[in-house]
Amino acid sequence: MLGQLAKAQTKLSACGIDLLNVAHAIGRNAVATFKQELVNSLVQDNLLHDLEQLRTALAPTSLSADLRLLPEATLNWLCRHLDLSQHLQPGQEIEVPAERLRQYDLEGPPPDAAKSLVKLQVLAPGWKHQGQIVIRPRVNVAAPRPPEATG
C-alpha cells in the first residue's frame, strides 16, 4: 500500500512539473508575441523614424537636457527591451554590390547600371529586430568626390 502511494506521489509530482513547464512555455510565448506586436506597431506607425527625427531636431535647441535627451532615452529603452538595433548611421557612406540595392530605400536617381559596386550615403538609419531588418535604411547614391589636384 505504501509502495503504491509513493508511486502515485512520484507520478503526481512529475505531472505537476510537466504542467509547470507548459505554463512557463505559454508565458514565454505570450511575452514574445506581445513584443513582436509592439515592434510591428512601432514599424507600421513609423514611430522609430519619428523618434529619430525628434532626437535630431532637439539636439541643437536650448531646451533643457532632460527634454533633449527624451527621444534618445526612449529609443535606448525600446532597443533594450524589444531587441531592436539601429542599422547604419546618417551620413555614413557605404559601398554595396548593385544586386543588394533592394535592401535599401533608395532616394533620388538610380546608380549607373554598369557599376557592380555602388557607393551610397545613408540619409536615415534602418532598424533591425532580432538581427532581421524591419525598416530599411534610406540612402541615396553618394556624389563622386572630385579628383584631388596634384601639384
Side-chain angles (χ1 to χ4, degrees):
M1 182 69 125
L2 287 176
Q4 289 176 331
L5 186 58
K7 279 185 184 179
Q9 182 180 6
T10 302
K11 187 172 181 169
L12 185 59
S13 292
C15 288
I17 290 170
D18 290 344
L19 183 60
L20 188 59
N21 288 335
V22 168
H24 283 297
I26 290 170
R28 283 190 300 273
N29 287 338
V31 169
T33 298
F34 180 68
K35 285 182 175 184
Q36 183 63 54
E37 288 172 358
L38 284 175
V39 169
N40 292 345
S41 182
L42 287 168
V43 169
Q44 289 170 357
D45 295 344
N46 211 28
L47 289 175
L48 294 170
H49 176 71
D50 291 347
L51 283 167
E52 182 65 37
Q53 282 189 313
L54 184 60
R55 173 173 58 179
T56 302
L58 291 180
T61 66
S62 61
L63 290 173
S64 72
D66 290 343
L67 287 176
R68 282 195 327 269
L69 295 175
L70 185 59
E72 178 79 25
T74 303
L75 286 168
N76 288 339
W77 187 93
L78 292 169
C79 289
R80 227 179 19 257
H81 292 283
L82 298 178
D83 199 15
L84 287 166
S85 60
Q86 205 173 46
H87 178 50
L88 304 177
Q89 297 296 316
Q92 183 178 354
E93 287 193 0
I94 56 174
E95 203 169 46
V96 300
E99 65 269 8
R100 289 187 41 213
L101 281 176
R102 65 184 172 279
Q103 295 176 1
Y104 303 89
D105 280 338
L106 184 63
E107 286 194 357
D112 181 359
K115 292 186 177 183
S116 61
L117 282 176
V118 180
K119 188 172 238 172
L120 302 174
Q121 182 175 28
V122 179
L123 302 174
W127 287 90
K128 290 183 176 183
H129 177 245
Q130 297 177 342
Q132 299 294 315
I133 294 175
V134 292
I135 297 176
R136 295 182 301 197
R138 199 171 71 241
V139 299
N140 64 7
V141 176
R145 295 189 181 180
E148 292 184 23
T150 57

